Structures are given as C-alpha cells and as structure tokens.
Amino acid sequence: MKSAIYTLIALLTLTGATGYTQQVIQLYEGKAPGSESWTWGEKESVNNAFKTRTVYNVSQPTLTAYLPKLEIATGTAVIVAPGGAFHILSIDSEGIEVAKWLNSKGVAAFVLRYRLVRSVTDDPVAELMPKMRDFKKLDEENAPVVEMAVADGKKAIEYVRTHAKELDILPNQIGIMGFSAGGALTLGVGLSYTAANRPDFIAPIYPKTDIFGKIEVPADAPPAWICAASDDQLGFAPHATALYDAWIAAKKIAELHIYQKGGHGFGMNKQKIPTDTWYERFGDWMKLQGYLKKLRPSALDLKYSEEQIASFQRNDWAYLSRYADANKKLPAPKADENRVVFLGNSITEGWVNKQPEFFAKGNYIGRGISGQTSPQALLRFRPDVVELKPKVVVINIGINDIAENTGPYNPEFTLGNIASMVEIAKANQIKVVLASVHPAFEFPWRKEITDVPNKIIQLNERLKAYAQKNGLVYLDYHTAMKDGRNGMSPDIAGDGVHPTLKGYQIMAPLAEKAIEEALKK
C-alpha cells in the first residue's frame, strides 16, 4: 500500500506541527474489491431537503484522520461511520463533528467514507426519499453495497491497527461507531471479524439491525454501547433494544441509552433536549472501560485524581486555595522586615519541606505548588506575592512549561508570563530575583519530550538577558547544579528533576547572595 504509506508520512509530519490534523487515507490500493467496475466519483451535496452537507457516490473508500494533541492523547482510536441509508453520508453531524469531540477527549478519530449505492442525479436526497417509503425494496437494493460497506469498516480497523505505532494508537483500543446505516455497518463489523480487524468495542447509534437477520453474538464479541430515541421516525428504537438484549443474553458487556425524544438522526445536532449530550454518556462509558487514560500523564495527572483536576479547572485552575489560609494568618511585615517570597513549583515546595530552617532563618516564605506552570503562577501572583508585601520575590518558574504540564510549550508565552509577574512586582515596589530553570536531562513523567537540556538552556539564556535588560538580579542555579549531560546527578536530584537536601544546600547560599544583592538595588 505505497500510496497509503506516503499519505501516512504526510499526516504525521503535519501532526507534529499542529498537534492534530486531518488527512485522507486511501483504504485500498487501486480499485476496491467488489466494485472494480464502478466508474463514478465521489461528490458532495449541500442544497438538499435534509439541509445538511452530504457525501454521495463513494466508490473509493477513505479514512479522514483526526488526531488529538499529543499531550492529551489516550491511544484510543474510533472509526466513525456516518449514516444515510447507504446512499449518502451525513458527513458533518454524524462524522466530522463527532471526530472533533473525540479529539477533545484525547481519542484519535477516523471518519470513514464507505461505498454507497450510486445516485444518478446531483440531488441524492431527492432520490433517496421515495425509496424510504418501502424499506423492503430499499434493503434489497442496498444488500450488495452493505456487504461492501462492512468490508470497508473491517479494512479501516485493520489499517489503523497495522499502523497503530505510527499513529500513536494502542492496537488493543480500536473501536468503531456509526449512525443509522453507519450503525448497521458498525454492527456488521462487530458480528463477523478476524483477529486483524476485530473491533475492541462498538457503538451503534440508532442502528438498523434487521438486515442481518437474527443476531448471532460472537463468542468473543466486543463491548457495545448502544443509543437511540423512542420517537425514532424510522422505528429503529426496537432495533437498538433487540441488539442490547442479544448482547446481554450472550453475557457480553453492553450499555443501552434510549431517550424519550430525539427522533432519528440527531447526531451532534442541538435540539435543547437530553439527546444534545448523548456523546458525554458515551465518554462516561469509554472512561469506565479504561479507554480515556492519557498515554503521557502530566505531573498534575499523576498527583491528583481526574475529579480533583476537573475541579481545579472549573473552580481553581491556579490552585489559589493552596495558600489562602496561610496568607490570611500571616501578619503584616514590620517596618524593618526584609520579607522575601519564593514563588515556584514543586522545587520550591519541596525546599520548604526539606530545609525548613533555611526559610525560618531568613524570614523567607515559600509559595511553591507542585506541577505549576507560568500562567498558573501569574494568576496567583497577587494573592501569593503582592498581598504578602515582601521586599523581594524570587521567581523560579518555567520547567513545567517545558514539560508541557498545562499545554504545548511556547517559550514566548512563558517569557511573557514571567515578564508580567516582574511588571506587577515593580508596580508594587517589590524587588525581583529571577532564577534560572534547573538543569534536567529528561522528565521522568514525560519521557517523550525531547531535547530537554537545550530547551532549558535556551530559556535560561533569554531569562538572563531579560534580567540584565530590566535591572533584575539573575540567580543562576543551572550552572552550579548541572552535570556533564546538562542534567542533575542523582546525589543532588534523585529523579533528575527534584533536588535532594544536598541539592538544596547548593541552592541556599546562591539564593541568599542574590537576595542580598536585590535588597541593595
């Protein structure tokens, strides 16, 4: 499949630049088996009775890949099959919009354009509508194409599994979901498969299931998530319940959602009723199956539960509450008091715990929070620094930006956040000591992030230049603590990132000297 491989290379090149991309992958080299004589080409229709963009006359099946950003990727993939009675594809509300939502959950999505019955006019919806008055005749017309469409679904799974490594996907976390006719295709794939194209889960949404006769559940049938509305105009709600009953009778994993209202074809459409959020229930189910765990959890992910992180993001993303009580209890500084606040991340937080006498002796106040990045530190700069009325603030932030704890690393963004903190400090007559980022050869929790030493060195060079330009004291931890690899040796940082007591003992006199210099300015 040379053409497919070339497409894949292009896809991955774009993915590295943007975090996600959309590229078309040909499922077959040359003509698709069974439709070699088809000469028509794929088209789109916008002005039709359904008032939505539809694809028709698909003769060469393709996958359009939507890959999630690397920092949230779960390794799970879903083939998405839009519906349309095997004559058209409702490509947006049952395809692309679904794929984009899956991406937001860290799931790779592949929108499948499978083979369809030929339309002889430029208005495939107008052709289809009369046929839907007689499902028996429509099923007979569709039958040969249904077989091809199911084959396309299997081929899609096989392709993604074969290229799982290149696509950043786990080969045992590849599912398929579909809507209406796409739901039938999904079921067809879930009823008959080989090891190469077996789906790890299926999600038929308002599927038409009677075209397969009596449902014979395979012995190793994949888990199923099924959804429909009771008021389905095409009468497919009983199809969904029958499918669920068959799966449960076979003692297989299944979950069924039947909504009171929604009609047929609700997809991602908004009707201001519960079907508007059906996909959230699908996400809940995927989480229950273990399909939404990040491949590369951040330090925040490793330290806190998903519920805690969600709460932070909703209510306290910068974790303002961390020191709220301590700040309230802290008395105002005395007239001759040289109060100093150390603002940072886990390195600062750990320093207070490992060397408390250093902070007590110098009247230093530690305000470090594990895992934090520069935007979070900026958000809490006023309550955790300005309102404590220090003479000096020591800012040590940036390493978690490079580790991409809260998103892709952008040095301009990081420097901008630090500059904003400096400007706020100056406006409040607080002297600034700007600390370098500590050395690190790699991040134990994010080993896929490459070139860490050089990224740190480049950021430190810019921090130093900014400090010199703006009359700040630059505190160079990096030079004093780096080893031959521009990381930190185990005796001063057990995991290569977080200093040991010995490491903090190297830092202490450097910090004291910098603070003394700042107070003299």
Side-chain angles (χ1 to χ4, degrees):
M1 293 180 70
K2 289 183 180 179
S3 61
I5 292 171
Y6 293 147
T7 301
L8 180 63
I9 292 170
L11 183 155
L12 292 173
T13 300
L14 286 173
T15 299
T18 64
Y20 62 92
T21 188
Q22 302 86 49
Q23 279 289 316
V24 177
I25 300 167
Q26 298 290 331
L27 278 182
Y28 303 95
E29 186 172 5
K31 292 281 189 177
S35 57
E36 291 88 351
S37 62
W38 291 11
T39 57
W40 50 91
E42 179 181 308
K43 294 182 179 180
E44 286 189 2
S45 167
V46 177
N47 299 316
N48 53 62
F50 289 166
K51 298 180 181 179
T52 188
R53 187 165 67 108
T54 60
V55 171
Y56 64 105
N57 281 351
V58 176
S59 58
Q60 286 295 109
T62 63
L63 286 176
T64 304
Y66 291 77
L67 304 184
K69 294 179 180 180
L70 288 174
E71 65 268 18
I72 64 170
T74 61
T76 299
V78 177
I79 311 299
V80 182
F86 293 101
H87 280 59
I88 61 175
L89 301 178
S90 182
I91 199 67
D92 291 321
S93 68
E94 296 179 348
I96 294 170
E97 292 173 25
V98 179
K100 289 180 177 179
W101 178 82
L102 288 166
N103 280 180
S104 75
K105 296 296 182 181
V107 176
F110 298 82
V111 178
L112 174 63
R113 298 190 182 205
Y114 52 90
R115 282 173 284 182
L116 302 171
V117 173
R118 184 187 184 188
S119 297
V120 295
T121 71
D122 289 333
D123 191 346
V125 174
E127 284 187 57
L128 173 62
M129 294 297 283
K131 296 180 182 181
M132 295 186 72
R133 298 183 191 128
D134 187 338
F135 270 109
K136 184 178 180 182
K137 287 185 178 179
L138 181 60
D139 289 347
E140 290 173 355
E141 180 185 11
N142 286 346
V145 174
V146 170
E147 186 176 343
M148 295 180 194
V150 171
D152 296 342
K154 294 177 183 179
K155 188 69 175 178
I157 292 173
E158 184 177 341
Y159 179 91
V160 173
R161 183 163 286 136
T162 300
H163 297 280
K165 186 175 181 180
E166 302 99 297
L167 292 167
D168 201 29
I169 287 165
L170 298 174
N172 62 341
Q173 291 187 192
I174 302 171
I176 183 168
M177 70 185 305
F179 303 79
S180 193
L185 181 158
T186 296
L187 176 59
V189 172
L191 291 175
S192 176
Y193 44 75
T194 64
N197 57 38
R198 178 187 180 274
D200 294 301
F201 58 93
I202 63 172
I205 316 296
Y206 40 86
K208 180 174 172 57
T209 64
D210 59 357
I211 57 176
F212 299 109
K214 182 182 178 182
I215 297 174
E216 299 290 343
V217 182
D220 61 342
W225 190 87
I226 307 158
C227 180
S230 296
D231 63 346
D232 188 304
Q233 300 94 323
L234 303 184
F236 289 175
H239 294 230
T241 57
L243 175 56
Y244 172 78
D245 288 342
W247 240 248
I248 293 300
K251 293 182 170 50
K252 303 303 174 186
I253 295 172
E255 183 167 307
L256 173 67
H257 291 258
I258 296 291
Y259 290 91
Q260 179 185 343
K261 292 183 178 180
H264 187 81
F266 48 81
M268 299 294 281
N269 295 324
K270 299 301 180 185
Q271 305 178 74
K272 297 183 179 180
I273 55 177
T275 48
D276 291 359
T277 56
W278 66 266
Y279 47 85
E280 296 289 355
R281 307 292 73 76
F282 179 54
D284 292 341
W285 182 80
M286 292 183 75
K287 179 182 174 183
L288 184 65
Q289 307 307 312
Y291 292 139
L292 297 186
K293 296 177 181 178
K294 290 182 182 178
L295 285 175
R296 307 169 188 88
S298 68
L300 203 64
D301 295 319
L302 294 171
K303 183 169 184 178
Y304 300 105
S305 70
E306 187 174 331
E307 290 73 21
Q308 286 175 309
I309 294 171
S311 178
F312 296 158
Q313 291 172 339
R314 285 194 306 271
N315 307 312
D316 193 5
W317 181 70
Y319 205 178
L320 300 177
S321 61
R322 171 67 174 82
Y323 293 107
D325 289 341
N327 291 344
K328 287 179 184 177
K329 294 175 183 176
L330 192 70
K334 297 175 183 178
D336 59 347
E337 181 180 338
N338 290 326
R339 178 174 288 179
V340 179
V341 173
F342 282 69
L343 182 76
N345 44 50
S346 58
I347 293 175
T348 301
E349 189 174 24
W351 196 355
V352 176
N353 295 328
K354 282 191 168 66
Q355 205 177 20
E357 69 281 0
F358 169 75
F359 283 81
K361 180 186 71 172
N363 195 23
Y364 302 151
I365 300 167
R367 290 296 180 260
I369 297 181
S370 176
Q372 286 221 327
T373 55
S374 64
Q376 292 171 307
L378 175 58
L379 282 173
R380 63 185 182 89
F381 196 81
R382 182 165 295 279
D384 285 352
V385 178
V386 175
E387 292 178 4
L388 305 188
K389 302 186 183 304
K391 291 283 183 67
V392 177
V393 61
V394 179
I395 300 173
N396 183 11
I397 204 79
I399 195 164
N400 289 323
D401 293 51
I402 296 171
E404 301 187 354
N405 278 16
T406 55
Y409 173 53
N410 180 340
E412 297 297 333
F413 180 66
T414 299
L415 287 163
N417 291 328
I418 293 171
S420 294
M421 287 185 258
V422 171
E423 290 164 11
I424 294 170
K426 284 187 171 184
N428 288 277
Q429 292 76 52
I430 302 170
K431 301 178 188 298
V432 177
V433 172
L434 189 55
S436 71
V437 173
H438 285 66
F441 183 73
E442 65 180 6
F443 300 123
W445 67 96
R446 295 296 298 274
K447 289 191 175 183
E448 74 281 2
I449 294 178
T450 59
D451 202 26
V452 173
N454 284 329
K455 288 176 182 175
I456 291 173
I457 289 170
Q458 289 166 14
L459 178 57
N460 284 340
E461 287 173 350
R462 298 187 67 176
L463 289 173
K464 184 177 181 179
Y466 176 82
Q468 291 172 341
K469 181 179 178 181
N470 290 275
L472 312 178
V473 176
Y474 180 68
L475 172 50
D476 188 1
Y477 292 132
H478 190 278
T479 299
M481 302 181 77
K482 68 179 180 179
D483 63 11
R485 302 191 305 169
N486 282 314
M488 287 192 286
S489 59
D491 63 323
I492 65 169
D495 63 356
V497 175
H498 299 93
T500 60
L501 178 58
K502 183 177 179 180
Y504 286 125
Q505 288 169 341
I506 295 171
M507 293 165 56
L510 298 174
E512 287 175 325
K513 182 179 178 181
I515 292 166
E516 183 180 352
E517 184 180 346
L519 286 168
K520 290 178 180 177
K521 279 185 176 288

